[in-house]
Amino acid sequence: MPVKAFRSPEVVLMVVAGVAVAILGPYALYRLSPHAPSVSTQETKSGSRGIDLDISDLDTLPDSLRDGAMLLLTTETPELPDSIANLAVPTGENVLRPVSESIEETRPVLYWSAAFGEPPYSVSITDEHNQVIARAQGIQNTSWMVLTPLHPGGEYTWQVSVTGVSEQASFRVLDDGQVMLWRAMQAAHRDSHLILGLVAQQLGMLGIAEREYTALTKAYPDSNTAALLLNNLTDLRNR
């Protein structure tokens, strides 16, 4: 498109626009890239409850994210995002997080329950080719940070063992494009639990989505939509 010349009284508007581009540049670039996530959902049931929250900010999202958000806001039977749909289910209830979800960190902290048994614990992590990439023994706490940086976009399985008993869970690390999108969303919508929760869920970051929806229900305790999002997310994680 041809660029129109700005008159001197409009210099301030040019400055403001420049600042906006500087802040949302990664987001704008992401909208032109092929990284937009997809969410698989069953068809929205007829007669689903109306949306009782302000959703005007959805218009600022890329088309795929906006459409996915509308489905999450209205469906009563959401499905896992494609990016994490094939992760192995956890083999026990003592592995806490990350479990069957996407994460941003390339050196995540793994958490398990003290009810699993008395320390010391042993932990290992394998990649999608079943190659052990990190392990530790003699752990006295119920958490451990992965020391070897994980590959963006990779899928991993971690296992914790104590007294001959083991439990394991799987997770996925966001790829570079998804990290760029997520950080842009955090910058642009840092005060919106609704937008951050909807985007996080579509990216497979279920723990973060649950946190945002919990905050949303506290901010709007009478909202049926907020309650629906949290209940659906909880049910999804417990499947």
Side-chain angles (χ1 to χ4, degrees):
M1 295 177 61
V3 179
K4 296 182 180 180
F6 287 92
R7 298 179 181 178
S8 55
E10 297 173 313
V11 171
V12 174
L13 293 178
M14 293 177 64
V15 173
V16 172
V19 172
V21 170
I23 294 175
L24 298 179
Y27 175 44
L29 289 174
Y30 184 89
R31 295 191 64 172
L32 299 177
S33 70
H35 289 289
S38 62
V39 171
S40 298
T41 59
Q42 297 182 7
E43 184 177 356
T44 303
K45 295 182 178 180
S46 59
S48 59
R49 67 194 75 181
I51 299 172
D52 57 11
L53 295 172
D54 180 5
I55 61 172
S56 58
D57 282 349
L58 293 185
D59 292 335
T60 67
L61 301 179
D63 291 345
S64 60
L65 281 177
R66 183 177 65 249
D67 294 344
M70 286 302 302
L71 284 172
L72 293 176
L73 284 162
T74 54
T75 187
E76 295 185 10
T77 53
E79 297 297 328
L80 291 171
D82 293 341
S83 60
I84 62 171
N86 295 322
L87 291 177
V89 297
T91 60
E93 298 181 352
N94 291 295
V95 282
L96 300 181
R97 63 183 187 274
V99 174
S100 302
E101 61 188 322
S102 291
I103 61 171
E104 179 182 356
E105 301 83 359
T106 57
R107 292 180 58 193
V109 178
L110 313 176
Y111 295 89
W112 57 93
S113 172
F116 189 35
E118 294 292 329
Y121 306 99
S122 298
V123 181
S124 64
I125 182 168
T126 58
D127 62 18
E128 48 204 288
H129 304 295
N130 205 32
Q131 297 295 314
V132 177
I133 60 174
R135 58 161 43 106
Q137 297 178 335
I139 301 173
Q140 297 296 320
N141 301 317
T142 54
S143 63
W144 179 70
M145 175 180 284
V146 179
L147 301 180
T148 302
L150 305 181
H151 181 70
E155 296 180 3
Y156 297 89
T157 298
W158 65 280
Q159 177 178 279
V160 57
S161 304
V162 61
T163 61
V165 180
S166 299
E167 292 187 10
Q168 66 182 35
S170 297
F171 63 93
R172 178 181 179 274
V173 180
L174 296 181
D175 63 38
D176 292 336
Q178 292 170 327
V179 170
M180 180 175 66
L181 170 64
W182 175 240
R183 291 178 180 175
M185 290 293 98
Q186 288 179 302
H189 302 283
R190 60 181 177 272
D191 296 323
S192 176
H193 297 301
L194 176 63
I195 295 296
L196 292 181
L198 291 170
V199 172
Q201 183 169 349
Q202 293 184 73
L203 289 173
M205 305 171 73
L206 303 186
I208 291 179
E210 185 173 32
R211 181 190 71 195
E212 295 296 337
Y213 293 157
T214 298
L216 186 67
T217 59
K218 291 180 179 179
Y220 300 96
D222 298 324
S223 170
N224 290 328
T225 301
L228 175 69
L229 289 171
L230 180 58
N231 290 338
N232 283 351
L233 194 282
T234 301
D235 290 343
L236 197 61
R237 301 200 76 185
N238 290 335
R239 289 182 187 174

